[in-house]
Amino acid sequence: MRLSRLAMRPYTCLQCLTRTRPVFRRPTTTTSIQTPRIASLHNSSRFLQQQQQQQSSDSPAAASRPSIAPKPVVDIKHIRQNPDLYAQNCIDRNYHQQASYPQRINDLHAQWQAKQREARSLRERSNILRRQLTDPGSIRDENADTIAAGTKFLTRDELIAEARKLKSLLSTIEAEETRILSEIESLALAIPNLTSEESPRGPEPKLLSLINEHPEPVPSASDRVWRSHVHIGNELGLLDFASAGTTSGWGWYFLLDEAAQLEQALIAYALDLAVRSGWRQVSPPSMVYSHIASACGFQPRDQNGETQIYALAQSADDAARGKPELSMAGTSEIPLAGMHASKMLLCPGDISEFSPLKYVAVSRCYRAEAGSRGLETKGLYRVHEFTKVELFGWTYPSLDSATDVFNEIVDLQTDLLSSLGLHCRVLEMPTHDLGASATRKIDIEAFFPSRRERNEGWGEVTSASICTDYQARRLATRLKGEDGKMIEGGYPFTVNGTAMAVPRVLAALLENGWDEETGTVVIPEVLRGWMGGKERIGPKPPTKKGLGVGV
């Protein structure tokens, strides 16, 4: 099923306008280069939520952005022309507060038009006064006398006083016009992307397919023990949460011996498959400007903390000098998207209708995961730092081109998980689960035996999203043709997906590969080449055993 042209239209979000920084003027000469002083890590989601609360009143105004930040370009006209469409889309996505924004934008636009008319009238009167002051004889004809009624017989001092009064009134109106436009932009940026027709409305996903057979489709009446990866990791001396709790706190971990080796094997395997499939390998930074993360749609949601990110606290001097805030990347999707911020890509050249830009990157990822600690998040399933192999594509601005790359990502994910022997289900995700940027999302969930009492054992291990031109518009990434002009559509589409979220896949392999009789874990055949040919992970000698798990 194909999206209508209406549903293919873009949107953007709010958070890139939430930081107000004083402007710093650099001196013309410098004697040294100062490095930024980083005070500490803090959970930026708390700051963003506070800013969001401050801007969620009836009149949220756009704050100033760093001078180096891309200038977002939102299709406000389309929002004004289709307020009901955007309002319903917000309701479908569970963005109830934003559902009132389209109508508010229309109301503000009407106010702006009224201010424009008022300013135009004042400028006309101001021009007449100026002509009378510079050339009193210029106002002679009847129409001009009618327009200039009340001013023709004023003295020069009275004309000057009137002109000054008009200038003050115009300045006030122009400031109000600027405030209204900023508020319109702020509201438009807060509205989520329009949703694909493929996405189920509401909270329930749609099952698309299954990968591999279920290890135990019907719960057995036997006394078979389905151990969690936490217990297995402790039994085999592979995981150490207790020491990580001492060094870093809850949500961090040490991988030991074969677990650390298995992490590298999973990375190498995913990279090998992606590169052989035509994805260009990139090694991205782990820190990004916060306005880049915000432009990609990473912002807190009231009911879900999964997209919360860490920011680096600045010194007072750096903040006063207007240095942009840095954040730890929650996923390499952010720096990969930022690679082309404020750039003009060529078509053909960089991108064509049948030749997208495709990147694959390995990175450490950092998630605050505030408020998510509990029985369902023990072990490696939900952690603050992890390694991930990410796929990211820039495509020609058409849904067909984006869907081709999207399907390629899902196929690659399916091949990876299938070859690892994991039982998974492929889900078309519902509107309630879509992030701000995605128009469509497919998740793949693996079966975790230890989670059988919760969500029937399913846990997400990969995700893939189409974001249309949401990110490109907010990153000011444009697409021009051979004639040097922007092509129709103007902004490339972006697509992203997980090739390998290492900790969760590693946990699934430990649980599904566990052999209770031998006390060993079977290593998938496709990984053995990176594991020194080893087929199983067994107990350690007493000298290596005993590192506590602690959860």
Side-chain angles (χ1 to χ4, degrees):
M1 183 181 298
R2 302 182 68 175
L3 287 173
S4 66
R5 290 182 62 84
L6 194 63
M8 289 171 58
R9 296 302 294 267
Y11 104 89
T12 340
C13 178
L14 173 67
Q15 297 301 334
C16 61
L17 301 176
T18 58
R19 289 310 295 264
T20 302
R21 299 287 194 189
V23 177
F24 170 69
R25 301 292 183 187
R26 291 188 179 275
T28 55
T29 60
T30 57
T31 57
S32 63
I33 298 176
Q34 294 186 350
T35 56
R37 289 183 290 172
I38 305 301
S40 61
L41 271 174
H42 71 271
N43 181 354
S44 68
S45 63
R46 180 178 302 173
F47 165 78
L48 290 175
Q49 286 170 338
Q50 291 171 351
Q51 292 293 316
Q52 195 174 47
Q53 290 169 2
Q54 294 171 6
Q55 295 199 0
S56 63
S57 62
D58 291 339
S59 300
S64 63
R65 63 175 62 85
S67 60
I68 65 171
K71 177 66 170 67
V73 183
V74 192
D75 194 349
I76 296 175
K77 181 179 179 181
H78 192 259
I79 297 174
R80 288 195 295 103
Q81 292 174 340
N82 302 276
D84 293 340
L85 170 68
Y86 281 89
Q88 185 60 50
N89 182 65
C90 290
I91 293 171
D92 289 343
R93 284 174 171 253
N94 210 21
Y95 282 74
H96 293 286
Q97 179 178 323
Q98 287 84 346
S100 64
Y101 288 4
Q103 185 56 53
R104 175 66 176 160
I105 288 173
N106 275 339
D107 293 341
L108 288 168
H109 182 72
Q111 294 178 28
W112 176 78
Q113 288 180 315
K115 293 294 179 184
Q116 286 268 292
R117 290 191 294 269
E118 186 177 354
R120 189 180 305 113
S121 176
L122 290 177
R123 289 188 186 98
E124 290 174 354
R125 183 176 177 85
S126 180
N127 290 336
I128 292 172
L129 290 175
R130 187 179 298 108
R131 288 199 302 271
Q132 283 188 258
L133 285 167
T134 57
D135 184 11
S138 63
I139 300 187
R140 294 173 180 170
D141 61 83
E142 183 178 349
N143 291 333
D145 287 342
T146 302
I147 295 173
T151 65
K152 184 174 182 179
F153 302 105
L154 295 178
T155 67
R156 182 175 180 82
D157 288 344
E158 288 173 333
L159 288 172
I160 292 174
E162 177 73 7
R164 287 173 177 170
K165 180 181 177 181
L166 289 178
K167 182 178 180 181
S168 178
L169 288 173
L170 269 173
S171 178
T172 301
I173 290 174
E174 288 170 353
E176 184 65 10
E177 286 177 341
T178 299
R179 184 199 66 78
I180 291 173
L181 291 177
S182 294
E183 186 173 345
I184 288 174
E185 182 184 52
S186 178
L187 291 167
L189 289 170
I191 297 174
N193 203 349
L194 290 174
T195 307
S196 166
E197 295 176 357
E198 302 289 341
S199 302
R201 268 53 182 173
E204 296 299 323
K206 175 184 176 182
L207 178 63
L208 298 179
S209 62
L210 295 172
I211 301 172
N212 294 329
E213 294 183 359
H214 199 294
E216 192 179 42
V218 179
S220 174
S222 71
D223 58 355
R224 181 178 182 182
V225 177
W226 287 102
R227 294 182 181 267
S228 76
H229 67 277
V230 175
H231 296 109
I232 295 169
N234 186 46
E235 184 74 18
L236 301 180
L238 301 174
L239 307 176
D240 185 3
F241 293 92
S243 296
T246 301
T247 62
S248 310
W250 174 85
W252 276 270
Y253 54 93
F254 285 99
L255 299 180
L256 306 170
D257 301 322
E258 287 93 339
Q261 194 177 2
L262 192 58
E263 177 182 48
Q264 299 305 314
L266 288 168
I267 293 170
Y269 178 49
L271 274 178
D272 180 66
L273 188 58
V275 171
R276 285 193 286 112
S277 299
W279 294 77
R280 184 180 182 184
Q281 188 170 344
V282 178
S283 181
S286 294
M287 291 186 190
V288 295
Y289 284 130
S290 295
H291 60 258
I292 295 294
S294 190
C296 293
F298 281 76
Q299 56 179 308
R301 293 185 63 171
D302 292 339
Q303 76 280 14
N304 192 331
E306 290 188 2
T307 61
Q308 293 173 345
I309 59 176
Y310 288 108
L312 297 178
Q314 291 182 310
S315 68
D317 288 344
D318 286 344
R321 294 168 65 182
K323 288 192 174 183
E325 183 187 68
L326 284 167
S327 295
M328 305 300 291
T331 167
S332 54
E333 171 193 342
I334 300 171
L336 290 177
M339 284 180 70
H340 299 304
S342 301
K343 289 184 180 179
M344 185 76 78
L345 300 177
L346 300 178
C347 178
D350 297 313
I351 296 174
S352 70
E353 191 168 359
F354 305 104
S355 180
L357 278 174
K358 301 189 301 182
Y359 298 137
V360 58
V362 181
S363 68
R364 295 294 279 180
C365 304
Y366 301 87
R367 306 284 179 91
E369 306 286 15
S372 63
R373 184 173 184 178
L375 291 175
E376 296 188 8
T377 59
K378 287 186 176 182
L380 297 174
Y381 189 79
R382 194 180 300 280
V383 290
H384 293 308
E385 180 181 5
F386 57 95
T387 303
K388 187 168 74 152
V389 182
E390 180 78 3
L391 303 165
F392 190 90
W394 295 89
T395 79
Y396 189 82
S398 75
L399 193 62
D400 287 342
S401 296
T403 302
D404 286 344
V405 176
F406 179 73
N407 290 337
E408 183 180 343
I409 290 175
V410 175
D411 288 344
L412 194 149
Q413 292 170 335
T414 302
D415 290 343
L416 281 168
L417 295 171
S418 176
S419 63
L420 292 174
L422 296 176
H423 174 57
C424 306
R425 62 178 185 178
V426 184
L427 303 175
E428 185 79 53
M429 299 309 291
T431 52
H432 282 198
D433 198 71
L434 296 181
S437 60
T439 186
R440 181 186 177 192
K441 183 161 80 92
I442 285 180
D443 282 0
I444 300 182
E445 297 181 340
F447 176 71
F448 291 78
S450 67
R451 295 170 58 86
R452 192 153 204 165
E453 299 302 318
R454 301 183 294 274
N455 197 29
E456 298 179 346
W458 299 111
E460 177 195 339
V461 289
T462 73
S463 182
S465 300
I466 300 177
C467 298
T468 61
D469 61 0
Y470 166 86
Q471 293 174 327
R473 281 180 171 269
R474 297 175 73 224
L475 291 166
T477 304
R478 294 171 170 82
L479 195 59
K480 68 177 180 180
E482 294 177 314
D483 58 359
K485 298 180 181 179
M486 288 182 65
I487 67 168
E488 184 179 359
Y491 301 90
F493 283 12
T494 58
V495 186
N496 66 80
T498 311
M500 184 66 64
V502 172
R504 290 189 180 182
V505 173
L506 193 153
L509 292 178
L510 291 179
E511 293 190 13
N512 286 278
W514 174 252
D515 186 334
E516 183 72 22
E517 292 184 3
T518 62
T520 61
V521 172
V522 177
I523 299 173
E525 185 175 354
V526 293
L527 300 180
R528 292 173 187 173
W530 288 283
M531 297 286 291
K534 186 178 294 186
E535 297 181 3
R536 289 176 177 265
I537 302 173
K540 302 293 180 297
T543 55
K544 286 191 176 182
K545 194 175 177 181
L547 290 171
V549 185
V551 180

